[in-house]
Amino acid sequence: MDTLDRFDRAILALLQDDARLTNNELSEQVNLSASQCSRRRSRLEDEGLIAGYYAKLDREKVGLGIVTIINVTLATHNPNNSKRFAALISNLPEVQEAHALTGEMDYFIKVVAKDLNGLREFVNDVLLPHESVQNVKTSIVLETLKDTSSLPLG
């Protein structure tokens, strides 16, 4: 990231806020020509700094009213068990984030569900019966104070 100049950083920051910006719109905001913005955008995509574009959906409006943070402890701590758990998580669309941790818990996962019954089914019918899982601790999110995927580029 040290090779990024102020124009690259400005383009990345603007695209984080609105990925639908055209090269003409970018050029007006960063004071470069549209063709230069296009070349820079293509380079940033080719180099993997822009990993993709997506639409951010309103979770509640699509019927997913519950957000849950689940801490998972594995049954055993060996590479095969970790791989089994990773395979399970990768195939579950309810899991929005999954992080391996240091400390008391092995994994932190963020899960969305339609309602409490959907959450119960996810925990009791999917997570707990899986051979790799020993224990789960579930916390339901009462209020989201911040929800962003934007990186601090300043």
Side-chain angles (χ1 to χ4, degrees):
M1 189 126 160
D2 292 339
T3 62
L4 297 178
D5 64 19
R6 66 181 178 93
F7 295 111
D8 291 335
R9 288 179 183 279
I11 289 169
L12 289 171
L14 288 165
L15 290 173
Q16 279 191 124
D17 289 337
D18 184 358
R20 295 183 301 173
L21 288 173
T22 67
N23 291 320
N24 286 335
E25 291 167 329
L26 282 173
S27 73
E28 292 172 8
Q29 295 188 50
V30 299
N31 296 319
L32 286 175
S33 70
S35 62
Q36 286 178 319
C37 286
S38 176
R39 283 192 294 276
R40 284 175 180 265
R41 178 187 273 190
S42 293
R43 180 180 51 80
L44 293 168
E45 291 170 349
D46 292 344
E47 292 176 359
L49 278 97
I50 298 175
Y53 299 93
Y54 67 95
K56 184 174 181 178
L57 306 180
D58 185 307
R59 175 184 49 78
E60 290 184 6
K61 287 182 181 177
V62 298
L64 298 167
I66 301 283
V67 177
T68 309
I69 304 304
I70 301 175
N71 292 297
V72 179
T73 304
L74 295 183
T76 61
H77 293 89
N78 63 56
N80 288 336
N81 202 40
S82 294
K83 287 178 185 175
R84 284 192 295 274
F85 182 73
L88 169 69
I89 293 304
S90 69
N91 291 314
L92 298 172
E94 302 91 342
V95 176
Q96 300 296 291
E97 296 179 32
H99 306 276
L101 304 174
T102 61
E104 185 180 333
M105 298 295 165
D106 296 314
Y107 292 91
F108 160 103
I109 60 175
K110 176 182 167 187
V111 174
V112 294
K114 180 179 178 181
D115 52 24
L116 287 175
N117 190 48
L119 174 61
R120 180 193 56 75
E121 289 174 359
F122 179 83
V123 171
N124 291 337
D125 300 344
V126 177
L127 276 185
L128 285 174
H130 195 268
E131 63 186 359
S132 66
V133 175
Q134 176 184 336
N135 183 37
V136 301
K137 291 185 179 179
T138 305
S139 300
I140 296 173
V141 173
L142 297 177
E143 179 181 12
T144 299
L145 302 178
K146 183 175 182 179
D147 182 14
T148 183
S149 60
S150 293
L151 300 175
L153 297 174

